Amino acid sequence: MLSMVDKVVAKVSGVFAALGAAMIGLLALTMVADVVGRQFGSPVTGIVELAAQTVVISAFLTIPYVMRRGGHIRATVLVNRTPPIVRKTLEVVAYLIGAVIFALLAFSAWDAFVEDFVKASYEGEGALRIPTWPARLTIFLASVLMIFESLLATAKTFVEVKK
Amino acid sequence: MSSVDIAELAVLAVFVLVLSGVPISFSLIVTSFVGMYLITDKLDVAFNLLNAVAYSGIRDYVFAVIPLFVLMGAFMTNSRAAESLFTAVHYLLKKVRSGLAIATVGANAIFAAVTGVSVASAAVFSNVAYPQMQRYGYSKRMSLGVVAGSSILGMLIPPSLLMILYGILTQVSIGKMFIAGLVPGLVLALMFSAYLYVSSYFRPDMYGIDTPNPNRFVLKAQKKAAARELKHPEDFDSDEFPDLGRPSGKISLPGMVTQTIAIQTVQMSFGRAMLGAVPIVALVALVIGGIWGGVFSPTEASAVGAVGALIIAPLMGMDWKKFIKAFQQTAVAVGGILLLLIAASFFSRMLATSGFINQVSEFIQGLDIGPMALVILFILILIVMGTILDSSSILLLAIPLMFPSILALGIDPIWFGIVFIIAVEIGLLTPPFGMVPFAMNATLGKRASVEDIFAGSFPFVLVMVAFLVLLMFFPGIATWLPELLR
């Protein structure tokens, strides 16, 4: 059961991260197109707002994958010198803190998403208006995924300790 | 409990959590949320601020510079760029005393201009340069120290992640920070090289000079064997670099690969040795020159750099598998850094609301110790922090507290940024917990103990301290170039 859920969550995190990374690659190409296009009098419209939204969306798309890969920056030098049981306990504490803060974020991001979606809020002006709800929705979905990742990491640590 | 008391407890709580191994971003968010609630006594305020920093905190055109430069660095790290540079610089220096060690410094200085993270440089050059120096009879500590010491150039020579974060937090122009790092980076590289050259006369044994080298016979035989095979040098594939996303203990360098580089270096023609370095140097010139000439903003420069790296990396051994790996590494680095940035802005807003930041700068200015003494005090604090934390976390934690006093005392913010980065990097090389030796140990595995790396980097730490003193007396080293731009 646990391993099945784990596989599904891993897959979702992987797909999210792939989308996020692809967006970064596309942003690079679009921006170069803008730099080149400017020389010929045809810049990409709204590149500034496009870049800003890409940063938010790609950041949140990759955050759960970072968790899965154990890549959230932490100081391990002291912890690595403690006995395994202390280390495992501290790990569980860290995961639970992760679950709590992303639950808080999911809660507040959902309200913001509903509000922006209903009001059809947008950023940017002139020719290119970018709706804000996709970014809000991404924050919400990524936070929910982070809750899953944190709880799974907790569960896996317990299974490890039992063995 | 006053709100300043709450903030003080929050700072303490962050340190306890971080030292307990809780991810730094998690520690900051949880204490900021609780702190904000306690200060205002309104849960709504804490929720609203959390939601605001998660969205508006990073929704900025300028911040796109982070993922784009990370992508550029990932493409270059997953190609043979570092090897090509090392080969080229070594070719130029092959007749010079301690040339191999100086070549490591030189190649690092150029590689630093395509990547913004010291720890990445340290891992890559552990695989590229360390085995070479071993083969030529350089002492173990010496070789490790050169790799560790010169890797710090990654943060000083633009593009640099630390400069980007510093610019974002202090409103100093990122482009100016980049330009400001050029001269200090080159001066420090020269000081490292000078140290290596001079000390090779005092301790020739450490540089494999005038000592019976047990490897020499083996080397001769290998040269002959490789010379026969060299008819098809392009067949030698580069070895896979270790996964930079998370340190692993695996040793990933079979001897054969680097031997062929060594021998190629000796036998290659001038043109062939330089050929590999040309595209990289051209890319560096395009990115830095573009910022320098005002052709594009740092954000646009990062996009140009990423696309340029995407074009040249496949020419230098980046296949489909490494292409995917570059994107995976980018995802890990980007998610980690941007979450840290969100967390840090949450934390500093909480501290600002509490009045703690004001209190700290009032306290610091009340010390009445003069600007230089204050900077020295800050440097000492940063070095201590550098022995425990990674450099971007230190910057995000320390700048909100230190920077107001720097401004109030009229210290040049660009100059302080450079001093700040060097101080943090000294900490990264300082025992007991400096990060660079641990990252190298993760790459090299049992071949190099953390203690050996710390011992080997110590002379480089001293050179960096000397450089800091130099910067104090001649601030122009850092401020001269950016002032020209004004």
Side-chain angles (χ1 to χ4, degrees):
Chain A
M1 179 61 195
L2 182 65
S3 71
M4 213 181 77
V5 177
D6 191 45
K7 264 184 199 154
V8 174
V9 173
K11 193 96 196 162
V12 179
S13 291
V15 171
F16 269 40
L19 283 175
M23 282 183 68
I24 296 167
L26 284 177
L27 178 66
L29 292 172
T30 318
M31 215 173 252
V32 171
D34 175 58
V35 170
V36 175
R38 231 168 24 198
Q39 311 301 317
F40 303 101
S42 59
V44 177
T45 343
I47 185 79
V48 171
E49 189 51 41
L50 206 65
Q53 293 287 334
T54 304
V55 176
V56 180
I57 296 179
S58 60
F60 276 91
L61 284 176
T62 51
I63 285 171
Y65 179 71
V66 182
M67 174 89 192
R68 165 123 333 229
R69 295 275 299 258
H72 281 296
I73 302 156
R74 53 195 284 256
T76 50
V77 274
L78 286 185
V79 183
N80 284 348
R81 279 146 210 250
T82 56
I85 186 69
V86 177
R87 200 164 69 220
K88 293 286 170 200
T89 314
L90 289 174
E91 265 175 34
V92 168
V93 171
Y95 297 143
L96 291 179
I97 289 178
V100 170
I101 58 176
F102 281 95
L104 296 173
L105 184 55
F107 182 72
S108 64
W110 176 253
D111 284 348
F113 161 64
V114 171
E115 198 188 318
D116 280 14
F117 189 77
V118 172
K119 284 191 195 161
S121 309
Y122 62 86
E123 303 268 8
E125 46 198 60
L128 194 75
R129 291 179 173 180
I130 299 179
T132 55
W133 66 262
R136 302 283 192 189
L137 183 63
T138 310
I139 299 178
F140 171 74
L141 291 176
S143 301
V144 173
L145 196 51
M146 274 301 279
I147 302 172
F148 275 101
E149 288 285 10
S150 305
L151 293 178
L152 274 170
T154 313
K156 278 190 276 187
T157 311
F158 274 118
V159 173
E160 247 175 69
V161 171
K162 244 186 194 171
K163 275 178 192 169
Chain B
M1 215 164 37
S2 77
S3 41
V4 172
D5 292 338
I6 295 169
E8 275 166 15
L9 280 179
V11 172
L12 192 69
V14 166
F15 272 92
V16 172
L17 287 174
V18 166
L19 292 181
S20 316
V22 177
I24 294 155
S25 45
F26 293 12
S27 316
L28 289 171
I29 294 175
V30 74
T31 45
S32 308
F33 190 89
V34 175
M36 208 61 205
Y37 168 60
L38 293 177
I39 290 167
T40 59
D41 204 22
K42 287 187 189 105
L43 209 49
D44 276 5
V45 178
F47 269 117
N48 286 341
L49 191 58
L50 172 62
N51 190 45
V53 290
Y55 176 72
S56 326
I58 55 171
R59 195 195 65 82
D60 194 322
Y61 169 76
V62 172
F63 289 15
V65 75
I66 296 173
L68 294 174
F69 269 135
V70 168
L71 185 62
M72 173 186 179
F75 284 145
M76 297 320 284
T77 317
N78 282 290
S79 73
R80 267 191 298 249
E83 277 166 78
S84 306
L85 286 173
F86 184 64
T87 308
V89 182
H90 183 209
Y91 188 91
L92 294 175
L93 294 173
K94 65 183 173 185
K95 297 257 165 65
V96 177
R97 230 178 136 85
S98 67
L100 200 54
I102 298 177
T104 308
V105 174
N108 243 310
I110 306 174
F111 194 68
V114 291
T115 172
V117 191
S118 292
V119 178
S121 299
V124 170
F125 278 87
S126 296
N127 276 342
V128 173
Y130 174 70
Q132 290 286 19
M133 285 188 272
Q134 286 294 285
R135 198 150 290 113
Y136 279 82
Y138 282 53
S139 83
K140 192 172 188 174
R141 284 190 176 178
M142 183 69 237
S143 335
L144 292 169
V146 173
V147 172
S150 54
S151 76
I152 69 99
L153 295 171
M155 282 301 192
L156 202 54
I157 294 179
S160 145
L161 181 63
L162 285 185
M163 289 179 184
I164 296 171
L165 294 176
Y166 185 82
I168 287 172
L169 256 57
T170 60
Q171 311 288 318
V172 172
S173 130
I174 295 173
K176 271 190 187 151
M177 278 307 292
F178 279 180
I179 300 299
L182 276 175
V183 175
L186 294 179
V187 171
L188 189 57
L190 283 178
M191 284 173 74
F192 282 161
S193 307
Y195 161 74
L196 290 168
Y197 187 77
V198 171
S199 76
S200 73
Y201 283 95
F202 292 97
R203 293 292 306 273
D205 53 310
M206 289 177 78
Y207 296 85
I209 302 166
D210 305 333
T211 45
N213 180 353
N215 289 335
R216 209 151 267 178
F217 285 113
V218 187
L219 196 70
K220 240 181 190 169
Q222 282 168 350
K223 263 187 201 171
K224 273 187 190 157
R228 258 178 268 126
E229 289 175 50
L230 251 180
K231 283 163 196 157
H232 306 286
E234 63 278 2
D235 290 347
F236 297 114
D237 192 25
S238 111
D239 189 59
E240 227 192 341
F241 290 131
D243 190 339
L244 298 176
R246 52 176 177 190
S248 69
K250 79 172 181 239
I251 303 170
S252 57
L253 203 96
M256 200 46 219
V257 176
T258 42
Q259 277 158 17
T260 56
I261 304 168
I263 293 138
Q264 277 175 4
T265 313
V266 176
Q267 311 220 330
M268 245 177 211
S269 71
F270 175 79
R272 198 178 168 77
M274 292 303 127
L275 192 66
V278 169
I280 308 165
V281 174
L283 184 65
V284 170
L286 179 66
V287 170
I288 310 239
I291 299 175
W292 168 260
V295 183
F296 23 74
S297 68
T299 312
E300 286 165 347
S302 65
V304 171
V307 173
L310 175 62
I311 293 168
I312 62 175
L315 304 176
M316 290 189 288
M318 183 178 75
D319 53 17
W320 179 251
K321 228 173 100 187
K322 286 182 182 162
F323 175 75
I324 295 298
K325 203 164 160 192
F327 271 105
Q328 285 172 340
Q329 288 172 358
T330 305
V332 171
V334 167
I337 293 165
L338 289 177
L339 184 62
L340 195 58
L341 200 58
I342 291 171
S345 74
F346 196 12
F347 191 65
S348 64
R349 283 194 211 188
M350 187 272 290
L351 290 186
T353 312
S354 72
F356 182 68
I357 290 184
N358 282 339
Q359 194 120 357
V360 167
S361 49
E362 266 165 36
F363 171 75
I364 291 173
Q365 283 152 48
L367 290 176
D368 200 25
I369 51 173
M372 278 308 120
L374 181 71
V375 170
I376 291 170
L377 180 69
F378 282 173
I379 288 172
L380 294 177
I381 295 173
L382 291 171
I383 293 177
V384 173
M385 287 176 87
T387 66
I388 305 169
L389 294 171
D390 76 289
S391 42
S392 26
S393 311
I394 297 170
L395 196 146
L396 294 170
L397 286 175
I399 285 296
L401 292 174
M402 291 181 173
F403 197 68
S405 311
I406 293 296
L407 278 186
L409 287 177
I411 297 168
D412 185 328
I414 292 183
W415 176 83
F416 181 69
I418 301 295
V419 168
F420 185 101
I421 290 170
I422 299 168
V424 171
E425 299 282 305
I426 290 177
L428 293 191
L429 289 177
T430 307
F433 302 131
M435 269 187 96
V436 167
F438 281 94
M440 281 175 65
N441 175 252
T443 309
L444 291 166
K446 283 184 189 142
R447 285 182 292 166
S449 73
V450 174
E451 287 75 16
D452 274 337
I453 308 175
F454 274 125
S457 12
F458 187 64
F460 294 89
V461 169
L462 292 184
V463 174
M464 287 161 78
V465 172
F467 182 59
L468 271 182
V469 174
L470 201 66
L471 264 177
M472 297 263 176
F473 286 105
F474 304 100
I477 298 172
T479 55
W480 172 66
L481 264 190
E483 265 164 19
L484 279 186
L485 277 183
R486 256 166 223 168

